[in-house]
Amino acid sequence: MSTSEDPEIVIIGCGVSGIAAAHRLVKAGYRHVRILEATGRSGGRIKTAALGNTITEIGAAYIHGPSKKNPLFCLARDYGLLPPEALNPENQAADVDEDPPLVPNWFSSSGQRLNAESMEPAEELFREILDNTSKFQNPKNTSWKSVGHFMRTKAQNQAARRWKDEDETTRQLLLSAFSTMLKFECCGSATHSMDDIDLAGFSMFKSLRGVDCTLPRGFERLIENLMSELPSDLVTYNCPVRCVHWSNTEGGLSPVTVECENGERIAADHVIVTVPLGYLKKHHSTLFHPPLPAHKLKSIETLGFGTCDKIFVEFESPWWDADCEIIYLVWEDEETVSDQVSDVSKSWIRKLVTFTVHKPSEKGSHVLCGWICGHEAEYMETLPEKEVRESITKLVRTFTGNSTITPKRILCSRWFTDPWTYGSYCHPAIGCTAKDLKNMMEPLPSQETVSQPLQVLFAGEATHPCFYSTVHGAILTGWREADRLINHY
């Protein structure tokens, strides 16, 4: 079949990487392309919802690095989905390394509003130490194994030197503020703790220029636009795949047979697998026959995949400043720099230390997005909404000192308990190297000499060597695997 100019291509997963691959193939003239999607919708980890009349992103929320080198930015621009500021040349040229300068409000656990200026030393120290992690791109050059160990050690040492003239209470408050930012940093990597992130591996991620932006009408508009350009019958929904039989194990004429949960068997020349790494970790042993090669399995196990959840909270009126973009909560009773809580079931809410202020999609809408990750997020997902709401109410009242503030409603993401994702996105866990990301994207069979190459290909954010965990990374991997097939023919 490899000499055929119109091969049968099956794509597993209708997330953005699967859609991107289908787009590329259909545009190149391939007529036998089919997407199998386990759920009833397109988009995967792109999912837009509403809290009251406010558009919220349950999944992907930002274009990281909105500039012309970002394929996501270019697509959103061409579809007319961008806010005016994102089209501003200065905005696209800004080199902020995914940390746009946001206007903060700070609150302490004693119910005090903290002066933002007095918190600047903690912010400066945090950014400086975080930037210094890039010096350790070679694992042989460092005695620190993890990002967390490096940052905590440096923070304690630098604080003692820099803030020696401050009184003990001020020093402790600044270190507690450092802990707050460390907890928030965990959300960026969807990790339980920065102690789980490899220090050398952390530098594999590359940022693009541009100040992060959102899509005012929702990320799903991007999916809708992309889907509108594909044949309407290309996707089969509610069609989970049980097993990918490759290497002619089914004895048919085609090298691959895709076995669906509903009993259907689909003969294919090539299959592009775009399932999330969390799903791959849990189901690889039954999803592939024969099993994946040992080196690929080792990389699937080594690469980290964690949970970052969002809790959207709507209020009758704002308790933050009109120009505020981010709210930091500082627990004053935490004596050491830490990004974890001691008892998850009792203290999970302590991991939620940051709210970003939602730009109102209509007048009178006052919504915050609370960020939580790791085991604390996983535990939150097991709780009834009423209990989460009560915990948020208590948290806000504690930090503002105002016992009358009551959320109108909340909306939580639940990515860990989603049976098709088992988490949010990937990160370089301890021991992870560039070789692991290379193994992730390697097609099967591994040897190029076989008569039927490129039977199983792999796309998705966890297969990009430096843009993993992003939507633009996912798009690029879909294009990459489509191009691999196009170039083959």
Side-chain angles (χ1 to χ4, degrees), residues 46-79:
I46 289 174
K47 190 177 182 183
T48 303
L51 182 62
N53 295 316
T54 303
I55 289 171
T56 55
E57 301 291 6
I58 299 298
Y62 296 98
I63 298 182
H64 293 295
S67 55
K68 285 168 188 167
K69 285 190 176 173
N70 186 331
L72 170 59
F73 169 82
C74 296
L75 284 169
R77 178 198 61 199
D78 295 348
Y79 289 136

Side-chain angles (χ1 to χ4, degrees), residues 196-246:
D196 299 334
I197 304 290
D198 192 276
L199 183 55
F202 194 50
S203 296
M204 294 191 297
F205 186 86
K206 298 289 177 258
S207 297
L208 293 169
R209 282 179 183 270
V211 179
D212 287 6
C213 74
T214 57
L215 300 180
R217 286 159 48 217
F219 241 103
E220 276 191 14
R221 297 292 164 273
L222 175 80
I223 300 298
E224 286 166 13
N225 277 281
L226 288 167
M227 292 302 292
S228 71
E229 294 173 12
L230 291 173
S232 58
D233 58 349
L234 190 116
V235 187
T236 306
Y237 292 101
N238 301 304
C239 185
V241 169
R242 180 178 290 146
C243 185
V244 177
H245 302 271
W246 57 288

